[in-house]
Amino acid sequence: MTRPSSSEIDDSTDTFVGWVDESPGRGTLGLIVTCLFTIFLCTWVVIHPRVCKRSLLRVLHKIALFLKCLFAPEFIAVEGLQEWKQAQKMVRDCSGLTGESLKLVHAFYIGMLALRYRTTRGEKVIWPNQYTWLLREGLIQWEDHRQWGLSEEIIRDKSNADGTAKLLALVQVSWFAAQSIMRQAHALPLAQLESMTLSYIPLFAITYLFWWVKPKDVLTPSIVDLPNMSEEQLSIFESMAVSNVFDNEGIGRQDSLWSIWYLTPRVFEKEAEDRAAHEAQQKPCQDDEEGPTQQIERAANLNARVSSHLAKQTVVAHWDPDLYRSKFLWPVTCIFGASFGALHLVSWDTRFPTLVESWLWRTAALASVMSILIFMQFEKVVLKRGGLMTIISLVSPLVYLLSRIIMIGGVVAAFRASDPAIYKTYVVSTYWVHIM
């Protein structure tokens, strides 16, 4: 049986078409390949993973990030913003200590777990707040940063950013966006897959902007020896570690395959834990007759219980407090977060095989917008039992995930019976050279 080409299909209001062969206009295969290629560029190319010493973990971590970008690009964009905020803070904190020589590229490099120190058991991560503390205490000097593998030349040499891939992504994404705008200007509908592809572009752009100077695909960390420190200084330094999950000493969950799914912890999370422990210790003692020894023991036990409780928490999301409380940045962040689902609504009037599928698509797109906006109103979401607000904070990401699955299913199902108008072209497009 011969399939119709785009020049042969009937554009009547009651007709649907299945697979359409390539022609001087558009065909199903070309449409699918172009959209998938654009989505790939908006996800795989934009990924800037943290440093993993084991090659297997490095590959699996990048695949995990790719899947996160594919199913929840909003969260990767917000993660990029939070990394940029942390890097900016480190640059400010170290400005007077380095003569303003520590730049964003250095802060990103340290923040992606690329700076580590040797121990008797292996290696441990030097976190941004630890490096800042070493500078502040005069234990290291910025003049020696080259010996620590922190010169810009060394970092850029380790980075595997591909200028050709960046250029290809820019050209392809620009072309796709321009084509979509021109189709709308000519009153031609977009396929559901095109609407989904279009939704990735703003988030791709904003994420790439935040990670523009961040090193990409660094294979090996810089491993150094810590300067000589007293026991008290070493204790303070080690207590500032944000997490030990990414250390390489063969302890507990370190170097686990599960770690590929973990987001890189942020310094503000450690600061929040320290504040919680401090506030707990400041609570008045129930027994006023406690002696100094009992008070010290009580404080130590309380600190241990608070640390144990925080360690057992399953944190679903935790936004940077400075970002969350910003009257400008956070509303803008929420708008970008909602943009992915909102751009799916470009296909609101696109014809679906059935009325049920049409309204399922519309409802899922609206649900994704509302659920992500609700979810982003909670500064910290922890998996635990609680009241109504806790339930809402935990249910909203599930609603979002369900809506994404429905929309992806709708995209696939729509190709069995599509609006023939999605294969119609306007005159100018016939002179464009399609990249794919």
Side-chain angles (χ1 to χ4, degrees), residues 8 14-15 50-51 56 58-59 87 119 124 147 158 177 190-191 193-194 218 232 239 341 363-364 399 401 410 427 435:
E8 298 171 340
D14 297 326
T15 303
R50 61 174 172 259
V51 176
L56 176 61
R58 185 164 56 244
V59 173
T119 68
K124 298 183 75 172
Q147 299 174 21
K158 284 188 172 186
L190 297 176
L193 180 57
E194 288 180 300
V218 175
E232 181 182 2
S239 71
T363 303
V399 172
L401 181 60
V427 176
I435 292 179

Side-chain angles (χ1 to χ4, degrees), residues 16 26 31 35 176 180 183-184 188-199 339-355 357-366 407 410-411 414-415 418-419 421-422:
F16 287 97
R26 305 208 305 174
L31 191 155
C35 288
F176 189 90
S180 300
R183 287 189 66 81
Q184 290 292 298
L188 292 173
L190 297 176
Q192 290 85 340
L193 180 57
E194 288 180 300
S195 299
M196 180 174 288
T197 304
L198 189 65
S199 302
S339 68
F340 187 69
L343 283 172
H344 283 72
L345 297 174
V346 171
S347 291
W348 183 277
D349 292 325
T350 299
R351 294 168 58 201
F352 284 77
T354 67
L355 185 62
E357 290 176 70
S358 177
W359 278 106
L360 198 58
W361 170 278
R362 296 171 182 174
T363 303
L366 291 172
M407 286 189 290
V411 164
F415 279 107
S418 302
D419 183 349
I422 70 173

Side-chain angles (χ1 to χ4, degrees), residues 168-360:
L168 178 62
L170 177 62
V171 172
Q172 174 69 9
V173 166
S174 300
W175 167 81
F176 189 90
Q179 184 200 43
S180 300
I181 293 171
M182 290 297 290
R183 287 189 66 81
Q184 290 292 298
H186 285 78
L188 292 173
L190 297 176
Q192 290 85 340
L193 180 57
E194 288 180 300
S195 299
M196 180 174 288
T197 304
L198 189 65
S199 302
Y200 283 95
I201 294 177
L203 297 171
F204 157 80
I206 195 69
T207 306
Y208 221 56
L209 176 64
F210 289 130
W211 282 344
W212 187 257
V213 300
K214 182 182 178 182
K216 180 178 172 65
D217 294 334
V218 175
L219 301 182
T220 57
S222 300
I223 304 174
V224 300
D225 292 313
L226 285 180
N228 294 326
M229 289 186 273
S230 66
E231 289 186 11
E232 181 182 2
Q233 287 175 323
L234 183 60
S235 177
I236 294 173
F237 174 80
E238 291 181 340
S239 71
M240 297 176 69
V242 177
S243 172
N244 66 355
V245 172
F246 305 98
D247 296 336
N248 186 21
E249 293 187 309
I251 301 173
R253 297 179 298 166
Q254 292 178 4
D255 230 12
S256 163
L257 287 178
W258 285 109
S259 66
I260 65 172
W261 295 101
Y262 299 159
L263 291 174
T264 306
R266 301 283 161 249
V267 173
F268 72 81
E269 298 177 59
K270 172 62 176 174
E271 293 172 344
E273 291 180 7
D274 291 343
R275 281 195 302 270
H278 179 73
E279 290 170 1
Q281 291 176 2
Q282 295 303 312
K283 290 182 179 179
C285 177
Q286 294 180 354
D287 187 355
D288 295 334
E289 297 182 356
E290 271 188 344
T293 304
Q294 288 81 7
Q295 290 180 5
I296 293 174
E297 291 178 354
R298 180 181 64 83
N301 292 334
L302 182 59
N303 187 44
R305 289 198 301 270
V306 172
S307 300
S308 176
H309 171 69
L310 291 172
K312 291 178 181 177
Q313 286 185 343
T314 301
V315 179
V316 179
H318 191 183
W319 311 121
D320 186 328
D322 293 335
L323 174 63
Y324 180 79
R325 293 162 191 167
S326 171
K327 294 182 179 179
F328 172 73
L329 276 180
W330 192 245
V332 172
T333 302
C334 290
I335 290 173
F336 270 100
S339 68
F340 187 69
L343 283 172
H344 283 72
L345 297 174
V346 171
S347 291
W348 183 277
D349 292 325
T350 299
R351 294 168 58 201
F352 284 77
T354 67
L355 185 62
V356 171
E357 290 176 70
S358 177
W359 278 106
L360 198 58

Side-chain angles (χ1 to χ4, degrees), residues 110-182:
I110 296 173
M112 61 194 290
L113 316 186
L115 184 61
R116 299 167 180 254
Y117 66 96
R118 296 181 182 89
T119 68
T120 55
R121 294 180 175 180
E123 304 155 8
K124 298 183 75 172
V125 173
I126 297 180
W127 297 87
N129 55 332
Q130 290 179 307
Y131 185 79
T132 303
W133 182 83
L134 290 173
L135 285 173
R136 188 176 292 125
E137 293 296 312
L139 295 169
I140 60 173
Q141 301 297 323
W142 176 250
E143 287 73 16
D144 300 325
H145 70 280
R146 180 177 289 275
Q147 299 174 21
W148 281 49
L150 293 179
S151 72
E152 283 193 66
E153 294 79 9
I154 293 175
I155 293 174
R156 298 193 187 282
D157 185 59
K158 284 188 172 186
S159 176
N160 289 290
D162 189 343
T164 303
K166 287 183 179 181
L167 180 61
L168 178 62
L170 177 62
V171 172
Q172 174 69 9
V173 166
S174 300
W175 167 81
F176 189 90
Q179 184 200 43
S180 300
I181 293 171
M182 290 297 290

Side-chain angles (χ1 to χ4, degrees), residues 24-44:
R26 305 208 305 174
T28 304
L29 180 61
L31 191 155
I32 292 175
V33 170
T34 298
C35 288
L36 293 183
F37 181 62
T38 305
I39 290 175
F40 176 79
L41 290 178
C42 289
T43 50
W44 185 262

